[in-house]
Amino acid sequence: MTAVTIHWEAPAKVNLRLVVLAREASGFHQLETIFCAIDLADTITAQRAERGIELEVVGARLGEPQENLVWRAASAFFRASGIAGGARLRLDKRIPVGAGLGGGSSDAASTLHALNALYGRPLGPRSILELAAELGSDVPFFAAGRPFALAWGRGGRLLPFPALPPAPTVVGVPDFSIATVYAYGELARARYAQPATVPPTVLDLDALASWQGLAALAVNDFEDVIFQKYPILARAVRALADAGALISRLSGSGSAVFGIFPDEPTRDEAVARLRTELPRLRWVPCATVPEPVARAGNSLI
């Protein structure tokens, strides 16, 4: 008997804007962020199994399978769908771990979509998004399958906006990772020591229609505290700007930085220069995604 195999891409993201707002009594922080998908991607491969969940990870060491977001997403899918079967899953990792690029969240969203396709789509889009919100604050963006979105709250409130023309991009990945918990802790301590007076900000939605407009909105509240601890990342962001990037920022809470460029020749010259000036970082050329990011293929084996 032939078995259907589903392959589902899990793209990375960068944060064009990331503002950390109030902390809830639960300990979670409210956010305002602009997500942008890039074509650096992991791949989820899924097949049916009679029962249980098997997970193979290729390309990274991620600890026990049951602790992986792919496993947790698969468990959530079977619980929500009521399906008694199981799945054999393979995760091919290309997105660096602990870099603020959303790899784990994207893997979880792609697992939900892959299993839903594998089992005849028992869950509708709303159910997929509800499960995504349970799995993590970045997961709904990837589950929504749109390349650009303004998100706020814990990340579950999304306003997708039309994709911009694909822009050449470079991601700089250092030889260390930064735990999200650590970044939030450092930011909280800094704000407690010297509370910031932040004027109200009105986002001009027209600015979302161009790269120049987005450049004017680009900010990351983690940069001050992270750059104090890791000055090489501050150097990298400045070097990206000096090399012609329209936008250069830390992504998420780090450790990766990124630059978005006006054209490929400028980007490629920047990559060559940065690899010489800052060899401690791995510089990865890529591009922003101009179309829905949920892409799948299937085969019979």
Side-chain angles (χ1 to χ4, degrees):
M1 180 178 178
T2 57
V4 176
T5 301
I6 297 288
H7 306 282
W8 208 281
E9 284 191 12
K13 60 81 179 169
V14 293
N15 299 84
L16 304 180
R17 177 181 178 85
L18 179 52
V19 177
V20 181
L21 304 173
R23 182 179 180 181
E24 301 174 354
S26 64
F28 285 94
H29 285 80
Q30 296 282 317
L31 299 174
E32 176 188 278
T33 189
I34 297 176
F35 289 118
C36 172
I38 58 175
D39 61 8
L40 173 64
D42 295 340
T43 303
I44 296 290
T45 303
Q47 289 183 320
R48 292 192 186 193
E50 290 187 8
R51 63 179 65 85
I53 300 167
E54 301 174 19
L55 174 60
E56 177 187 8
V57 179
V58 178
R61 294 183 179 180
L62 300 179
E64 293 298 321
Q66 293 87 343
E67 298 173 1
N68 193 289
L69 271 171
V70 169
W71 183 287
R72 290 170 53 195
S75 298
F77 169 80
F78 287 115
R79 182 185 70 249
S81 65
I83 291 171
R88 287 187 292 273
L89 300 166
R90 171 173 164 145
L91 168 60
D92 286 276
K93 285 296 297 178
R94 301 178 191 88
I95 302 172
V97 178
L101 298 171
S105 296
S106 187
D107 297 340
S110 292
T111 299
L112 294 175
H113 281 298
L115 291 177
N116 203 41
L118 187 66
Y119 276 97
R121 303 191 185 281
L123 301 181
R126 183 182 182 88
S127 295
I128 292 287
L129 285 173
E130 288 174 349
L131 290 179
E134 294 174 5
L135 291 165
S137 58
D138 290 353
V139 185
F141 165 67
F142 293 108
R146 299 291 294 274
F148 291 86
L150 171 65
W152 62 98
R154 296 189 192 178
R157 295 176 178 266
L158 293 170
L159 176 64
F161 55 94
L164 299 181
T169 304
V170 61
V171 173
V173 185
D175 55 2
F176 56 85
S177 61
I178 297 175
T180 302
V181 172
Y182 167 81
Y184 273 104
E186 291 299 295
L187 183 60
R189 278 189 283 275
R191 288 182 170 178
Y192 179 80
Q194 188 173 0
T197 302
V198 182
T201 301
V202 177
L203 287 182
D204 178 6
L205 295 184
D206 290 339
L208 306 181
S210 71
W211 285 114
Q212 289 74 19
L214 284 169
L217 297 176
V219 68
N220 187 323
D221 279 358
F222 286 108
E223 287 183 349
D224 285 346
V225 294
I226 294 301
F227 288 174
Q228 287 180 29
K229 176 69 174 178
Y230 302 101
I232 191 172
L233 299 182
R235 287 179 55 201
V237 167
R238 287 195 302 269
L240 284 162
D242 291 344
L246 297 172
I247 300 172
S248 58
R249 297 252 74 99
L250 183 75
S251 186
S253 57
S255 59
V257 300
F258 70 94
I260 293 177
F261 288 82
D263 53 64
E264 287 192 4
T266 304
R267 189 271 314 272
D268 293 345
E269 289 178 11
V271 170
R273 172 175 162 184
L274 291 164
R275 284 174 174 167
T276 299
E277 292 181 0
L278 292 167
R280 187 178 172 186
L281 277 71
R282 178 165 61 94
W283 297 98
V284 183
C286 50
T288 63
V289 176
E291 58 190 29
V293 299
R295 297 192 295 273
N298 65 78
S299 59
L300 297 177
I301 61 172

